[in-house]
Amino acid sequence: MADRKLYAGHAIRRLRRGSGLTQAAMAEMLGISASYLNLIERNQRPLSATLLLGLAESFDFDPRRFAAEEPGGGEGALRKRLADPMFADLEIDRDELAEWLAAAPGGAEAFARAYDRMGQGVGGAAAEDDPILPVRREIERWRNHFADLDAAAEEVADELRLGAGDLYGAISERLRVRHSIAIRILPADVMPGTLRRLDLHARQLQMSELLDPASRTFAAAYQLAQNEAREQIDALARAADLSSRAGERMYRRHLAGYWAAALMMPYGRFLRACETTGYDIELLQRRFGAGFEQVAHRLTTLSRVGARGLPFFMIRLDRAGQVSKRYSGASNAPLVEANGRCPLWRLHHVFDRPGKLMVQLVVLEDDSRWLTLSRTVAPQGQRYGGVGAEFAVGLGVEAGMASPLAAAQGIDLAGGATPIGLGCRACFRPECPQRSAPPLGRVLTVNERERGVSPFSFAGD
């Protein structure tokens, strides 16, 4: 795997066109000939380490993205899709698939997206009406790192901490003095079903008493974002060009929340704290007065050029396995993007031990290894006798990068790992006792004379 050549002509071409450059202009910047760049873009030459460094320096581009931007997830992922019985008569072999990827990467990506949408049971019209999907695509396009918002929030954070050590008090005072908005904490019975509300007539930011201190600080910072980061948020929202009003509002809400988290956990200080504490989440919570989920989300945003943190992913789901948040950040983790998940992943076990951090080393079918951390969280606003909601939050980082983590102490990151898949329908591991369904695209083999560990046996490649 380490000696595998990297062909990423489609990604180079997209980067060049996005920068408004001709092949000649880009080749001159990289110190190569236009003809050589043309061969690279046509996947007839691999990317060298020297060229990767040149691209990173000239375009502020993370080289790890090239490996992650293979059309449709790469040859292996496309082969799994083509294993569907509907394509059985086409008999597409490895060589033909490689030629397709080299000659028409855009077509391969389009096929993968169409197949995945069909596999999710989502029709074209339904998908177009869903405002969440385009918002998530836009967030992932930025790798959930918005440099301008981070810089602006960091500047305000420095100003606030010069005047007071209490961030919540400092934000409250700034809202009162600069924006004529007072904060008022109201009884839960006065704000039934509502945790935060801006009353423009009374010039009050009203908060429910059910909010804990970290959530009150975040709510105040969120309001400050709407007042002081409006210009940056407007620019990002216009550039996203989202088709639905609901989608645009959701995107703006995400951006304001991003600014609020960046104010509570300023990039430079937060990254230094991560590195000195070994990304100890509980310690980071105390140091920055934040909740577990707030810190987990912030860990996925550390992609500043020249000051990158570890590339974490984050996913949040409920007991039924429904995902309500997923951020791959710079990790490009298949565990985030997959529609299915494996019950052997301890993310699904944390509901049995509320509040307990579970650490697990897992290995996927492509031999990629991940160190994952999982814990339950409870949403704000719960009262005795009401519905007790609970979610599982999972974080993860590639095992090869996980040695600085405090949670990795005592774990042999190159040693034994739990083999998991991306849901039974997409998993081709034989003899799994936990298997609940056969994989798509494989012929079932039924032997009445014997019974294996798995209830489903199927043909191999």
Side-chain angles (χ1 to χ4, degrees):
M1 293 290 291
D3 297 329
R4 178 182 165 222
K5 294 180 179 179
L6 176 60
Y7 292 88
H10 58 288
I12 295 290
R13 183 164 55 250
R14 189 181 305 123
L15 176 62
R16 175 176 62 78
R17 289 175 176 173
S19 302
L21 297 173
T22 63
Q23 281 189 338
M26 187 178 202
E28 184 178 354
M29 291 178 65
L30 297 173
I32 60 176
S33 67
S35 59
Y36 183 55
L37 178 59
N38 183 48
L39 291 173
I40 290 174
E41 288 193 3
R42 289 159 54 196
N43 278 338
Q44 295 182 9
R45 293 290 187 277
L47 289 174
S48 66
T50 301
L51 190 54
L52 280 172
L53 289 175
L55 286 162
E57 292 174 358
S58 300
F59 296 94
D60 282 343
F61 192 85
D62 185 353
R64 292 173 295 187
R65 286 178 56 183
F66 285 131
E69 289 187 354
E70 294 181 275
E75 185 175 328
L78 285 171
R79 283 184 61 236
K80 287 185 179 180
R81 295 181 178 97
L82 290 169
D84 192 297
M86 77 170 78
F87 306 123
D89 62 313
L90 300 179
E91 297 182 353
I92 299 174
D93 59 24
R94 292 176 183 268
D95 291 338
E96 188 176 355
L97 180 56
E99 291 173 5
W100 183 27
L101 280 168
E109 175 66 23
F111 159 76
R113 293 183 186 182
Y115 178 85
D116 292 346
R117 178 172 294 178
M118 178 192 69
Q120 293 172 27
V122 181
E128 289 301 320
D129 292 339
D130 185 353
I132 298 175
L133 293 177
V135 171
R136 183 167 178 270
R137 283 197 295 266
E138 185 66 15
I139 293 170
E140 290 302 325
R141 187 173 74 84
W142 286 92
R143 294 292 193 266
N144 199 26
H145 174 72
F146 301 91
D148 290 346
L149 293 181
D150 257 313
E154 196 165 24
E155 184 177 341
V156 174
D158 289 340
E159 292 178 19
L160 293 176
R161 281 176 169 79
L162 286 175
D166 172 21
L167 181 59
Y168 173 74
I171 295 174
S172 302
E173 183 67 8
R174 190 175 180 109
L175 284 171
R176 186 186 67 81
V177 173
R178 293 200 179 190
H179 307 289
S180 301
I181 296 176
I183 293 180
R184 187 178 180 188
I185 309 299
L186 295 175
D189 293 335
V190 176
M191 297 180 66
T194 304
L195 298 177
R196 171 183 56 83
R197 177 174 58 217
L198 178 63
D199 186 335
L200 288 174
H201 178 73
R203 303 300 296 177
Q204 286 182 351
L205 174 61
Q206 299 169 348
M207 297 186 201
S208 170
E209 63 182 345
L210 295 175
L211 291 176
D212 64 20
S215 298
R216 290 185 186 183
T217 302
F218 182 84
Y222 182 92
Q223 183 58 53
L224 195 61
Q226 293 185 313
N227 288 90
E228 300 196 7
R230 186 180 302 276
E231 185 177 338
Q232 294 101 324
I233 292 173
D234 285 346
L236 287 164
R238 284 194 302 270
D241 194 25
L242 296 167
S243 57
S244 73
R245 181 61 175 159
E248 181 186 341
R249 286 180 173 174
M250 289 184 68
Y251 187 47
R252 288 178 177 275
R253 184 172 68 182
H254 176 83
L255 296 174
Y258 185 102
W259 193 94
L263 180 65
M264 292 176 65
M265 295 167 276
Y267 195 102
R269 252 174 285 163
F270 185 74
L271 178 58
R272 286 193 297 273
C274 287
E275 293 173 343
T276 56
T277 65
Y279 292 81
D280 186 323
I281 298 179
E282 291 188 2
L283 189 53
L284 292 170
Q285 284 182 247
R286 296 186 181 95
R287 187 169 297 185
F288 292 92
F292 180 88
E293 188 172 341
Q294 291 171 341
V295 172
H297 185 185
R298 187 62 169 143
L299 288 173
T300 70
T301 69
L302 302 180
S303 297
R304 177 178 287 178
V305 175
R308 300 184 191 278
L310 292 179
F312 279 89
F313 71 77
M314 172 189 161
I315 187 168
R316 187 183 75 175
L317 51 80
D318 60 18
R319 283 182 177 267
Q322 301 171 113
V323 177
S324 50
K325 284 186 180 180
R326 56 174 104 204
Y327 301 110
S328 58
S331 71
N332 302 299
L335 286 165
V336 175
E337 301 303 326
N339 296 317
R341 276 157 302 282
C342 182
L344 298 177
W345 186 14
R346 287 184 187 166
L347 174 64
H348 300 273
H349 303 181
V350 295
F351 294 109
D352 298 329
R353 304 181 69 183
K356 174 71 174 179
L357 185 69
M358 290 191 177
V359 182
Q360 184 183 25
L361 184 64
V362 300
V363 58
L364 300 180
E365 285 187 272
D366 63 1
D367 292 328
S368 64
R369 302 164 67 85
W370 301 83
L371 186 71
T372 66
L373 300 83
S374 309
R375 208 200 83 169
T376 57
V377 296
Q380 297 290 300
Q382 300 188 60
R383 301 182 65 180
Y384 179 78
V387 175
E390 195 175 31
F391 295 91
V393 170
L395 281 166
V397 67
E398 285 188 70
M401 301 181 180
S403 57
L405 268 63
Q409 293 180 10
I411 297 177
D412 180 3
L413 297 173
T418 303
I420 67 171
L422 302 177
C424 290
R425 287 299 198 179
C427 178
F428 299 90
R429 295 187 187 278
E431 302 176 2
C432 175
Q434 185 66 65
R435 181 173 289 281
S436 300
L440 290 172
R442 294 294 173 87
V443 177
L444 279 175
T445 57
V446 181
N447 188 334
E448 296 180 349
R449 297 184 179 182
E450 64 181 46
R451 167 69 156 80
V453 174
S454 170
F456 302 100
S457 299
F458 48 89
D461 283 322

